[in-house]
Structures are given as C-alpha cells and as structure tokens.
C-alpha cells in the first residue's frame, strides 16, 4: 500500500519561498506518477505540478509555471515542490498524490490518482 506524507508548509510573506516535500512509502518513484494539487476554501482541488511515471520533465499548471519547480529523488523516495515568488492566491492546502497507472493526457486530473497525502497548509500573507 502506497502511503504519502507532506511536510514544509507554513506562513510566508508575498514574494517569499517555501519548499514542500512528499515522502513515499510502499512504492518506488519509477513505478509511480506523482503530483501536487492544492485546494482553497470553497474551491475545487486544482492541479499544480506533476512528474510522469517515466520521469523526464515536470508538468505545470499555467498559474505556477516559472515560479514553482517539481523535483524528485528516487533514492530518498521524495517528491519536492519548490515554490518561489509566492502570491496570496497561492494560499491553499497542498496535497501530494500518486498513481501506478495514469496516461499522460490525464495527469492533471485528480480523479486519476489513487493515493493521497494528508495535506499541508501554505499561507501567503503580509
């Protein structure tokens, strides 16, 4: 059973940076597509970034492209999200997700992910 655990959330001022980490157990990154989603109060869960199961380059939502970077360390079994130039609109609970079987065209669809972490709160405010 794949289990995910996020860490690294917190309060940061606009323009600041945070680094989120997702630790994976019960699976290997070479067998999993991994992604970050976020959800603000009253809003639907929103795709942020993902790594296909085959690895390669990260895939990003337009709202975070150029500010956020997703990376993974297969040896440590972690997936990280470096968030720079944070804006108040980035405030949300951030979730790590994983899937053993997902096609590239569906990688932004949260319904395709079977495994989820508990979430970590990111608040961007002055």
């Amino acid at each position: 059973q794949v289990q995910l655990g996020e860490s690294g959330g917190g309060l940061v001022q606009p323009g600041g940076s945070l680094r989120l980490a997702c630790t994976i157990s019960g699976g290997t990154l070479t067998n999993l597509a991994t992604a970050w989603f976020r959800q603000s109060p009253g809003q639907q869960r929103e795709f942020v970034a993902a790594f296909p199961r085959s690895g390669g380059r990260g895939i990003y939502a337009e709202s975070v492209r150029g500010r956020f970077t997703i990376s993974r360390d297969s040896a440590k079994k972690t997936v990280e999200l470096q968030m720079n130039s944070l804006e108040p609109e980035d405030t949300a609970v951030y979730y790590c997700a994983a899937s053993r079987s997902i096609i590239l065209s569906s990688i932004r669809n949260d319904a395709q992910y079977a495994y989820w972490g508990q979430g970590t709160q990111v608040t961007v405010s002055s």
Side-chain angles (χ1 to χ4, degrees):
Q1 179 74 8
V2 176
Q3 294 184 316
L4 310 176
E6 303 95 336
S7 60
L11 172 64
V12 64
Q13 292 187 342
S17 298
L18 279 176
R19 190 174 186 90
L20 306 182
C22 174
T23 302
I24 298 169
S25 60
T28 61
L29 288 178
T30 53
N31 294 327
L32 295 170
T34 52
W36 288 94
F37 288 82
R38 67 187 182 186
Q39 188 168 23
S40 304
Q43 301 295 318
Q44 290 189 333
R45 192 156 49 191
E46 174 188 23
F47 170 78
V48 176
F51 254 122
R53 190 172 58 174
S54 59
R57 301 179 68 176
I59 297 168
Y60 298 93
E62 284 300 319
S63 59
V64 306
R65 189 185 305 275
R67 300 187 298 121
F68 291 11
T69 302
I70 189 171
S71 61
R72 69 182 196 179
D73 187 324
S74 295
K76 295 180 180 179
K77 298 176 73 172
T78 59
V79 179
E80 297 187 336
L81 186 69
Q82 176 66 43
M83 306 185 295
N84 299 328
S85 301
L86 283 161
E87 304 167 352
E89 293 73 21
D90 296 316
T91 295
V93 177
Y94 283 70
Y95 297 92
C96 180
S99 173
R100 294 189 185 276
S101 57
I102 187 169
I103 58 175
L104 193 59
S105 61
S106 297
I107 206 163
R108 293 176 172 84
N109 184 351
D110 62 348
Q112 299 299 315
Y113 290 84
Y115 308 106
W116 291 86
Q118 79 284 357
T120 185
Q121 176 70 46
V122 171
T123 302
V124 185
S125 175
S126 56

